[in-house]
Amino acid sequence: MSSDKKYVPSSPTAKWVEDRLPLMGLIYSSLGSGFSAPRNLNYMWNFGVLAGFMLVVQIVTGIVLAMHYIPHIDFAFDSVQHIRRDVNYGWLLQAIHANGASMFFMVVYVHILRGFYFGSYKSPREILWFLGIIIYLIMMATGFMGYVLPWGQMSFWGAKVITNLFSAFDFIPFIGDGIVEWLWGGFAVGQPTLNRFYSLHYLLPFVLVGVVILHIWALHIPGSTNPLGIDADGPYDKIPFHPYYTAKDAFGLGVFVIFFSIFVFYMPDFLGHPDNYIKADPLVTPAHIVPEWYYLPFYAILRAIPDKLLGVVAMFSSILILFAMPWLDGARVRSMRFRPLSQFFFWIFVVNTLFLGYLGQLSPDDILGFGWTALTYAQISTFLYFAHFLLVMPLVSRMETTKPVPISIAAAVLDANKKG
Amino acid sequence: MINNIAIKGLLASTLTVLLFISNANAAGEAKHPERNTYSSAGVLGKFDIPSIQRGLQVYVEVCAACHSMDLVAFRALEEIGYNEDEVKAIAAEYEYEDLLDDDGELMFRSGIPADYFPSPFINDKQARSANGGALPPDFSTLVKAREHLSFLPWASTYGEDYVVALMTGYHEEVPSTAPEGFELASGLYYNDYYEGNAIAMAPPLFDDMVEYADGTPATMHQMGYDVANFMSWASDPTMQERKEMGLVVMLYMIVFVTLLYFTNKRIWRKIKKGEDIDPTKL
Amino acid sequence: MTTNNDVAEERRNFLYIATGAAGVIAAGAAVWPLINQMNPSKDVLALSSIEVNLTNIPEGQSAVFLWRGNPIFVRHRTASEIAEAQAADNADDLIDPEVDADRVQRPEWLVMSGVCTHLGCVPLDQQGDFGGWFCPCHGSHYDISGRIRKGPAPLNLPIVEYVFLDNTTIRIG
């Protein structure tokens, strides 16, 4: 980090302000020219910024929608329709917010998988990784409660199913029996539930901002990893964040906005569920309850285990196991570029998780290839999911012969230019 | 990231296996609705105003006897080509009982453009009791609620198509009969496209049931198509505005992203090639 | 050689400025919906004009209507009231001088805001020193043309925008 420059105020006024509140200096040294990053980051490293962008988009559009939304079981559905029909640009803001949740998860999934592939969870970035998992958990809670607010059929029944997960813990003395009623504020999902979900859905994004600041802080201690996975401590290994990565991120953001716009303007309902266009009815369960796509793999794991408690435990474990990754992976080389076998299993893991997502939206009794049910496939896939963390990762990472790693990032850049 | 030939092979074979596995035999008995053509479809989709207006006529003269449309106000009809006076005239056809007279009694008044289409029943219970226990769904968002989109266009069900199919999916000769071996409860009708095939709605449309003002022959299919167009507008009245704005945003973003691409390339030119690196100091 | 560099630099500067400008425009366009959503929505605007049936208001009487959340006075003036209003056109005590003819479209119908221009109270009908309206809050006297004649209010009761749709109906707003 020796190349990091210090902020020099360019005018007397700026200096006067900086002496009293060193805000510009903070920005300069965390996002400007004063912060340096490895010179070889590829486009996979754009997704952190994209996730930050999506958080801002969700908070801004959310605050605006809250000016028109009514958290009441009789008016919630109609107020969302009022936003879409009558509020100026309400249809646009609502579509951005609803599809924005999907976009947020999409970029975060790429961000997480980038961390998997390039070993971003490995020493010295364990706490950075933990904070990322916490962000993801808060996102899931926020997204779930947000999905309840339009008070359509899928909102209502999704809320009912997910809150019922907690009834699996009814064996715990004293609190076990009452935990679901405590969540609901009644004996079923109803007005108190909707009201508190609205309150928490408004609160949690700001908690998220706080954890994101910690995440960025923790990032700035060791700095970013890079595709080679080696430490960037050579004299030419780093370049200033601005203008190089601000320009690169701006380009990536532009491409992402186009992708986002396709959904907002041309297929705003594609990622949603049609049953949510029907007002919630506590007496009629939809034929087929499915969560939003970003929860599907975990929903498949939940259903794969026939025991209620064990299913819930497996579902939570499938995410919490990420906390153990820095120790499950014992490789001394970070990047999977130099770990062919790990790379192979990484792609198996990705495909398997996508397949779990596919299974999550089927009915467990659906018959698939070989005449096996979706449930059977989900059980195999769930086994593979956990085997990846508990068997493959510890063994392969410790036994694999890695490919030679370049001595420095700058050397690798020169080498690539010679070849290319 | 995918530069290893073994991994490419692995991905290809896994996808093949998945495609085989995922070729599930769908369990539904209902037929898949046929695709019709709509001027509202596609990136440049526009509302088919004459058809929507005919659909409004069908709704008002036929469907509105049982189906409400709570979220659509008369004023919105200006979006489908009616002028202010026409909207006023349509609204004035309805009566509302929500004003208090000097004695505090409810009194009738005629509708104004700010009013919403009135419900044919006072509440859901009355609606159910008048319809043999079945609740006629509200039309406001119905097309959206019947639209099942998937990545495969031919596996998708579009709400408008579903409405057309349902309107024409009764067995014409004897609408109350079902194919052999199908147990149809009394009061229900057999419909090819309805989930479970037994629907409580009697065949709603017959040829020449309404007389279109523009002279279009009112065949059953035509009325179904028009009412589907109308319901599609009612479910998503901002569709055209959305697509028009989308086009502007897309074109602008493509220009902007092109500029960003060249800016980024220009900034990175030297760094990318490593021209700043002194090889002797590595 | 210097010219080549100059050309290259000029092109680069143009590229940067164009990109920056495009970014500013995009950001501005993105902010507009966030601001405009706070303006009255379509359902609110639909109620922003009301139609008043004049046949229900007998000569010599007033009616009050709620329009955009505020009262509107509609007075069916008698011939003597019209004469009285016109006679006062040049009175010395007019605080906000205005002739009666400018305040009405048809002399027998006075249509105006029912909000006192002092601090927003609603004046009482046919009271006060001038036979028009009297605001009980701080004692403002309005005449039969709604002009302020006495008291703290600075302006006449404002005339609202309205049109005669036919002889018996007006639309306010």
Side-chain angles (χ1 to χ4, degrees):
Chain A
M1 308 282 273
S2 53
S3 62
D4 290 2
K5 289 181 284 180
K6 222 180 131 3
Y7 171 65
V8 185
S10 55
S11 72
T13 320
K15 187 180 180 314
W16 185 88
V17 173
E18 190 66 12
D19 288 344
R20 283 149 186 84
L21 180 71
L23 183 63
M24 288 309 293
L26 181 70
I27 293 171
Y28 184 85
S29 59
S30 49
L31 295 166
S33 317
F35 175 56
S36 54
R39 63 187 298 147
N40 60 335
L41 301 186
N42 60 30
Y43 278 105
M44 289 295 114
W45 266 262
N46 278 40
F47 284 82
V49 166
L50 295 183
F53 171 74
M54 279 322 300
L55 178 58
V56 173
V57 166
Q58 291 301 85
I59 288 180
V60 169
T61 53
I63 287 172
V64 157
L65 291 172
M67 296 180 189
H68 306 281
Y69 171 77
I70 305 169
H72 187 288
I73 53 172
D74 292 337
F75 306 114
F77 184 89
D78 292 359
S79 73
V80 173
Q81 284 297 320
H82 169 247
I83 290 170
R84 293 170 60 114
R85 287 160 195 267
D86 293 336
V87 173
N88 301 308
Y89 295 113
W91 59 269
L92 175 64
L93 298 163
Q94 195 269 344
I96 290 176
H97 197 73
N99 286 286
S102 283
M103 295 297 130
F104 198 0
F105 275 97
M106 225 176 267
V107 295
V108 161
Y109 281 138
V110 177
H111 190 61
I112 293 173
L113 287 177
R114 190 269 287 156
F116 265 57
Y117 190 88
F118 294 107
S120 304
Y121 48 89
K122 294 172 76 66
S123 173
R125 296 182 180 82
E126 295 95 331
I127 294 198
L128 175 60
W129 178 253
F130 295 163
L131 290 166
I133 302 167
I134 292 168
I135 289 172
Y136 177 54
L137 290 170
I138 298 175
M139 271 177 70
M140 291 182 98
T142 312
F144 160 66
M145 288 189 276
Y147 193 63
V148 176
L149 301 185
W151 211 244
Q153 274 290 67
M154 216 38 93
S155 299
F156 180 87
W157 292 97
K160 191 144 196 176
V161 168
I162 301 299
T163 49
N164 260 315
L165 292 181
F166 293 90
S167 67
F169 299 106
D170 59 3
F171 61 91
I172 303 172
F174 304 117
I175 63 158
D177 285 337
I179 191 163
V180 182
E181 283 170 19
W182 175 78
L183 280 173
W184 289 335
F187 304 102
V189 175
Q191 176 58 37
T193 326
L194 176 61
N195 231 347
R196 65 190 56 185
F197 277 17
Y198 177 57
S199 169
L200 292 173
H201 182 71
Y202 209 126
L203 167 73
L204 286 182
F206 296 97
V207 176
L208 214 45
V209 170
V211 185
V212 166
I213 288 171
L214 295 182
H215 190 67
I216 296 172
W217 188 9
L219 168 72
H220 279 62
I221 304 304
S224 301
T225 46
N226 62 79
L228 296 174
I230 53 179
D231 289 331
D233 43 18
Y236 296 105
D237 286 355
K238 288 189 162 189
I239 50 174
F241 192 81
H242 178 76
Y244 298 104
Y245 286 111
T246 39
K248 195 167 185 163
D249 283 337
F251 171 62
L253 185 60
V255 173
F256 172 70
V257 167
I258 291 180
F259 175 76
F260 191 178
S261 301
I262 293 172
F263 285 92
V264 168
F265 293 109
Y266 297 112
M267 38 209 291
D269 300 307
F270 185 77
L271 297 165
H273 197 285
D275 278 6
N276 233 23
Y277 277 103
I278 304 169
K279 221 181 268 198
D281 183 347
L283 297 177
V284 183
T285 310
H288 198 54
I289 299 178
V290 245
E292 291 286 81
W293 68 266
Y294 34 84
Y295 303 128
L296 287 174
F298 309 106
Y299 192 58
I301 290 174
L302 170 77
R303 294 191 308 186
I305 310 220
D307 181 82
K308 185 173 177 180
L309 176 63
L310 290 180
V312 172
V313 169
M315 188 186 72
F316 285 119
S317 309
S318 65
I319 297 164
L320 297 179
I321 201 165
L322 299 179
F323 279 107
M325 272 180 75
W327 296 279
L328 292 174
D329 180 350
R332 266 178 290 169
V333 174
R334 286 197 193 98
S335 173
M336 287 197 191
R337 244 182 220 188
F338 308 108
R339 298 155 65 189
L341 204 55
S342 296
Q343 199 183 355
F344 175 83
F345 283 110
F346 167 82
W347 286 112
I348 296 260
F349 172 77
V350 171
V351 171
N352 181 54
T353 309
L354 289 174
F355 184 54
L356 271 174
Y358 171 76
L359 295 171
Q361 47 99 41
L362 294 181
S363 164
D365 309 326
D366 283 352
I367 308 290
L368 301 182
F370 306 116
W372 298 349
T373 59
L375 179 66
T376 312
Y377 278 104
Q379 286 168 342
I380 298 170
S381 269
T382 302
F383 173 77
L384 290 178
Y385 182 94
F386 284 104
H388 180 80
F389 291 102
L390 299 175
L391 288 172
V392 174
M393 196 181 271
L395 293 179
V396 170
S397 65
R398 287 174 175 83
M399 290 159 65
E400 182 174 6
T401 323
T402 56
K403 292 202 245 174
V405 173
I407 50 159
S408 77
I409 295 172
V413 168
L414 289 182
D415 210 33
N417 271 322
K418 227 179 285 166
K419 279 182 200 156
Chain B
M1 259 155 69
I2 312 172
N3 38 21
N4 188 320
I5 208 98
I7 288 168
K8 279 180 193 161
L10 161 85
L11 284 177
S13 46
T14 324
L15 284 175
T16 319
V17 170
L18 285 186
L19 273 178
F20 164 68
I21 291 173
S22 64
N23 197 10
N25 35 342
E29 319 128 9
K31 280 212 285 190
H32 194 264
E34 309 235 327
R35 193 84 182 104
N36 302 289
T37 46
Y38 303 92
S39 71
S40 56
V43 170
L44 300 169
K46 301 260 183 284
F47 284 124
D48 183 351
I49 298 295
S51 174
I52 293 174
Q53 292 193 350
R54 289 194 297 269
L56 171 67
Q57 190 185 344
V58 177
Y59 170 71
V60 168
E61 291 180 18
V62 184
C63 320
C66 302
H67 291 274
S68 60
M69 194 165 60
D70 291 344
L71 301 171
V72 178
F74 296 115
R75 61 185 152 80
L77 297 178
E78 285 193 36
E79 297 162 20
I80 54 169
Y82 292 100
N83 66 32
E84 205 185 324
D85 290 330
E86 287 167 333
V87 169
K88 253 189 232 171
I90 295 169
E93 304 264 315
Y94 297 89
E95 275 197 329
Y96 293 81
E97 194 181 16
D98 56 3
L99 283 183
L100 296 179
D101 65 11
D102 293 341
D103 302 323
E105 300 287 333
L106 280 172
M107 62 179 189
F108 283 101
R109 62 171 179 86
S110 57
I112 56 167
D115 284 314
Y116 292 78
F117 275 92
S119 174
F121 302 104
I122 299 167
N123 50 46
D124 286 0
K125 274 206 164 154
Q126 197 200 38
R128 276 182 198 280
S129 117
N131 288 284
L135 180 69
D138 185 88
F139 271 15
S140 315
T141 55
L142 197 56
V143 161
K144 288 283 181 199
R146 295 293 181 273
E147 188 157 270
H148 289 257
L149 300 177
S150 100
F151 271 108
L152 311 171
W154 59 90
S156 300
T157 302
Y158 299 87
E160 302 94 318
D161 292 330
Y162 176 78
V163 171
V164 176
L166 195 75
M167 291 299 98
T168 55
Y170 293 90
H171 285 209
E172 255 174 69
E173 302 299 320
V174 260
S176 57
T177 56
E180 227 169 291
F182 188 93
E183 294 259 336
L184 197 64
S186 78
L188 297 182
Y189 302 86
Y190 190 88
N191 190 305
D192 287 336
Y193 299 94
Y194 190 70
E195 194 68 46
N197 296 124
I199 188 169
M201 174 170 65
L205 298 176
F206 300 101
D207 286 346
D208 299 318
M209 202 173 188
V210 300
E211 195 177 324
Y212 280 137
D214 62 2
T216 307
T219 61
M220 182 164 66
H221 188 273
Q222 181 68 40
M223 286 188 285
Y225 177 82
D226 291 339
V227 91
N229 259 323
F230 171 71
M231 290 169 69
S232 164
W233 164 77
S235 290
D236 194 6
T238 55
M239 181 280 292
Q240 198 170 317
E241 187 188 356
R242 176 160 58 77
K243 288 177 176 173
E244 281 164 4
M245 187 191 283
L247 191 65
V248 175
V249 169
M250 286 295 170
L251 293 176
Y252 188 86
M253 282 310 295
I254 287 167
V255 172
F256 184 32
V257 164
T258 311
L259 284 171
L260 284 170
Y261 173 79
F262 285 112
T263 299
N264 182 45
K265 206 172 166 178
R266 169 74 73 157
I267 287 172
W268 276 82
R269 202 176 40 176
K270 283 192 176 140
I271 297 290
K272 194 105 190 164
K273 292 184 195 146
E275 282 174 14
D276 60 321
I277 301 173
D278 178 355
T280 59
K281 285 193 186 162
L282 283 178
Chain C
M1 196 175 122
T2 43
T3 40
N4 269 350
N5 269 347
D6 285 351
V7 169
E9 192 172 330
E10 207 168 284
R11 200 182 297 148
R12 187 188 63 201
N13 285 342
F14 173 75
L15 178 64
Y16 290 173
I17 291 167
T19 311
V24 170
I25 293 170
V31 167
W32 173 239
L34 299 172
I35 296 169
N36 193 31
Q37 55 86 19
M38 281 177 47
N39 277 320
S41 57
K42 283 183 200 155
D43 55 324
V44 175
L45 289 175
L47 292 167
S48 66
S49 67
I50 54 170
E51 286 180 16
V52 173
N53 186 354
L54 298 176
T55 52
N56 296 333
I57 310 170
E59 209 175 333
Q61 289 207 17
S62 303
V64 183
F65 299 92
L66 198 66
W67 175 69
R68 294 187 184 174
N70 281 312
I72 295 294
F73 293 153
V74 179
R75 181 160 185 87
H76 194 172
R77 300 193 296 188
T78 61
S80 66
E81 284 173 345
I82 296 168
E84 188 190 332
Q86 285 167 352
D89 275 351
N90 296 312
D92 298 337
D93 55 357
L94 284 176
I95 295 168
D96 177 20
E98 210 176 352
V99 293
D100 185 61
D102 290 347
R103 295 178 55 80
V104 289
Q105 293 179 18
R106 298 184 188 182
E108 61 272 31
W109 294 106
L110 176 64
V111 182
M112 61 184 182
S113 158
V115 178
C116 179
T117 57
H118 181 221
L119 291 171
C121 296
V122 179
L124 302 169
D125 190 18
Q126 284 184 301
Q127 289 193 31
D129 298 353
F130 299 88
W133 287 265
F134 170 68
C135 181
C137 293
H138 305 95
S140 295
H141 299 257
Y142 297 91
D143 67 12
I144 197 65
S145 185
R147 291 173 295 203
I148 179 71
R149 299 290 282 272
K150 189 174 149 192
L155 298 169
N156 302 333
L157 290 176
I159 299 301
V160 295
E161 203 182 298
Y162 66 96
V163 287
F164 277 90
L165 296 178
D166 53 50
N167 281 332
T168 55
T169 324
I170 57 167
R171 183 172 61 200
I172 301 172

